[in-house]
Amino acid sequence: MQDIEQFRARRERLLARMAASGGGVAVIPTAAEVARNRDSHFPYRFDSYFYYLTGFREPEAVLVLIAGDNPKSILFCREKDVEREIWDGYRFGPEAACEHFRMDEAAPIGELDGRLPGLLADQPTLHYSMGYDRAWDERIATALNAARANTRSGVTAPHAIHDVRAELDEMRLIKDAHEIETMRRAAAISSEAHRGAMRASRPGRFEYEIDAEIGYLCRRRGSQAAAYSSIVASGPNACVLHYVENDRRMEDGDLLLIDAGCELDGYASDITRTFPVNGRFSGAQRDVYQLVLAAQTAAQAETRPGNHWNAGHDAAVRVLAQGMIDLGLLEGTLDGVIESGAYRQFYMHRTGHWLGLDVHDAGEYKLAGDWRTLEPGMVLTIEPGCYIRPADNVPEAFWNIGIRIEDDALVTKEGCELITAAAPKQIDEIEALMRETADAAF
Ligand code: GLY
Ligand code: MN
Ligand code: MN
């Protein structure tokens, strides 16, 4: 059961921020439904900004906030409709939504366009995410023009449009207690799913069987969806960063890289584990795996309050680049391969991103040109990797080894806590888990 108060508290914080910058009105629509083909739709997912402020999951809804001496939250939503509810299910309707979601007012969505010019009238600023959705930009422009058309009767239209995401992104960057609790639960479900994937993997099975196992394990514990398309990549596929076909037969000797995480009550988890399909790391696989793990440990040590965002990435790159030299993948000095960027042949992405309602969550990485400083309550991923495609300059023993290890880190007062630590990642833990399963199968 969701605590609805948390959403009202966030609206109040946004309203206070708006008031502090001169007041105005905010218009925050939820996401549109998207057709998949003919009359079938993709599963509906609300807009993250809208949800953050409302907790309301139905499509066709808009939140209007009016800052000032009498701050007000108005929800526009679908009306009750007995006929449609027989086909599509329950709708709150404005009256019940107003009460349940603790709004000051609620009205049918069909009234929005007619009321917007009046709501914009005599407001100094419109807080709106211009450019985020073209169809909404058009509707907002129409409402602004209608408000301006009334200037001869003494009405003024907003003179400024301020991107409401600037405030919301900053708020979303520091997770509150409710968000952290939900993210811990999402992380626990996904960690258990990765354990299940390790148990289920063996030569001869197909990647999609493991994909299905993960989906099943997440859904059965209440996750509503995958936070992103699962990557279940065996053998050479592990070196394809955005591989999502998940249809290859897994062979003895392959590594399997799984990047999968569930969404729970709107919040994402994001975990990658890499392990041998046959349950035992080969020599070269072991060497590269230990290198990536050491890079992750180095990045984790730099993930603490006061350090800047990029410190973890810099630390991971140094460890990886040195390891690539030691393994004979690169020639030259550590500073040389970092400066030239030669390490990017095997490590071409960054070491993390913010995590929250969106898997690549809201929030700036730099402020006024400088990397931003980490603070308690931020959540980010730590996900170094090493991807070795067949190439002339690479010893054959390393070909097609693709490894990433990804955890979700909550910045704490002292450092950081990996909330996905229950997914095994030490070589002996993984091998022991897979051995148990193989023994049980015979
Ligand atoms: N799964 C998406 C990412 O790791 O960024
Ligand atoms: Mn990630
Ligand atoms: Mn990931």
Side-chain angles (χ1 to χ4, degrees), residues 228 259-260 270-272 353 359 383 404 406:
Y228 53 91
D259 185 345
D270 184 6
I271 303 180
T272 307
H353 50 82
V359 64
E383 51 177 305
R404 179 163 63 255
E406 175 174 29

Short mmCIF file of all heavy atoms in Angstrom, two decimals, residues 228 259-260 270-272 353 359 383 404 406, ligand 3:
data_model
loop_
_atom_site.label_atom_id
_atom_site.label_comp_id
_atom_site.label_asym_id
_atom_site.label_seq_id
_atom_site.Cartn_x
_atom_site.Cartn_y
_atom_site.Cartn_z
N TYR A 228 14.00 -2.00 -17.98
CA TYR A 228 14.56 -1.78 -19.33
C TYR A 228 14.64 -3.15 -19.97
O TYR A 228 14.46 -4.18 -19.29
CB TYR A 228 15.95 -1.11 -19.25
CG TYR A 228 16.91 -1.84 -18.35
CD1 TYR A 228 17.75 -2.84 -18.83
CD2 TYR A 228 16.94 -1.60 -16.97
CE1 TYR A 228 18.60 -3.55 -18.01
CE2 TYR A 228 17.78 -2.31 -16.13
CZ TYR A 228 18.61 -3.27 -16.65
OH TYR A 228 19.44 -3.99 -15.83
N ASP A 259 22.33 -8.26 -18.03
CA ASP A 259 22.04 -6.92 -17.50
C ASP A 259 20.52 -6.84 -17.43
O ASP A 259 19.85 -6.71 -18.46
CB ASP A 259 22.63 -5.86 -18.43
CG ASP A 259 22.46 -4.44 -17.89
OD1 ASP A 259 21.66 -4.24 -16.96
OD2 ASP A 259 23.13 -3.53 -18.42
N ALA A 260 19.96 -6.97 -16.22
CA ALA A 260 18.51 -7.01 -16.08
C ALA A 260 18.12 -6.47 -14.71
O ALA A 260 18.81 -6.71 -13.71
CB ALA A 260 18.00 -8.45 -16.22
N ASP A 270 19.00 -1.96 -11.48
CA ASP A 270 19.84 -2.13 -12.68
C ASP A 270 21.07 -2.94 -12.28
O ASP A 270 21.99 -2.39 -11.66
CB ASP A 270 20.20 -0.73 -13.20
CG ASP A 270 20.98 -0.75 -14.50
OD1 ASP A 270 21.15 -1.84 -15.07
OD2 ASP A 270 21.41 0.33 -14.94
N ILE A 271 21.06 -4.22 -12.61
CA ILE A 271 22.15 -5.12 -12.17
C ILE A 271 22.74 -5.83 -13.38
O ILE A 271 21.99 -6.30 -14.24
CB ILE A 271 21.62 -6.21 -11.20
CG1 ILE A 271 20.92 -5.59 -9.99
CG2 ILE A 271 22.74 -7.14 -10.76
CD1 ILE A 271 20.38 -6.61 -8.99
N THR A 272 24.06 -5.94 -13.41
CA THR A 272 24.71 -6.83 -14.39
C THR A 272 25.58 -7.83 -13.64
O THR A 272 26.33 -7.46 -12.72
CB THR A 272 25.59 -6.04 -15.37
OG1 THR A 272 24.82 -5.00 -15.96
CG2 THR A 272 26.11 -6.96 -16.48
N HIS A 353 25.56 5.89 -13.78
CA HIS A 353 24.54 6.91 -14.07
C HIS A 353 23.63 6.99 -12.85
O HIS A 353 23.58 6.06 -12.03
CB HIS A 353 23.74 6.54 -15.33
CG HIS A 353 23.22 5.14 -15.34
ND1 HIS A 353 22.07 4.76 -14.70
CD2 HIS A 353 23.74 3.98 -15.86
CE1 HIS A 353 21.88 3.45 -14.86
NE2 HIS A 353 22.89 2.95 -15.55
N VAL A 359 15.69 4.51 -15.39
CA VAL A 359 16.94 3.76 -15.19
C VAL A 359 18.13 4.69 -15.39
O VAL A 359 19.10 4.61 -14.63
CB VAL A 359 16.98 2.48 -16.07
CG1 VAL A 359 17.00 2.78 -17.55
CG2 VAL A 359 18.18 1.64 -15.68
N GLU A 383 29.34 0.39 -12.72
CA GLU A 383 29.27 -0.68 -13.70
C GLU A 383 30.43 -0.70 -14.71
O GLU A 383 30.23 -0.53 -15.90
CB GLU A 383 27.95 -0.60 -14.46
CG GLU A 383 27.60 0.77 -15.04
CD GLU A 383 26.31 0.72 -15.85
OE1 GLU A 383 26.22 -0.11 -16.76
OE2 GLU A 383 25.39 1.50 -15.56
N ARG A 404 30.81 -7.38 -17.59
CA ARG A 404 30.41 -6.16 -16.86
C ARG A 404 29.90 -6.61 -15.50
O ARG A 404 29.26 -7.66 -15.39
CB ARG A 404 29.32 -5.40 -17.62
CG ARG A 404 28.85 -4.13 -16.89
CD ARG A 404 28.09 -3.13 -17.78
NE ARG A 404 26.85 -3.64 -18.32
CZ ARG A 404 26.65 -4.02 -19.57
NH1 ARG A 404 27.65 -3.97 -20.44
NH2 ARG A 404 25.48 -4.47 -19.97
N GLU A 406 27.73 -4.81 -12.43
CA GLU A 406 26.99 -3.57 -12.15
C GLU A 406 26.17 -3.70 -10.87
O GLU A 406 25.38 -4.63 -10.73
CB GLU A 406 26.04 -3.26 -13.32
CG GLU A 406 25.14 -2.07 -13.07
CD GLU A 406 24.30 -1.67 -14.27
OE1 GLU A 406 23.96 -2.56 -15.09
OE2 GLU A 406 23.97 -0.48 -14.39
MN MN B 3 22.49 -2.16 -16.60
#
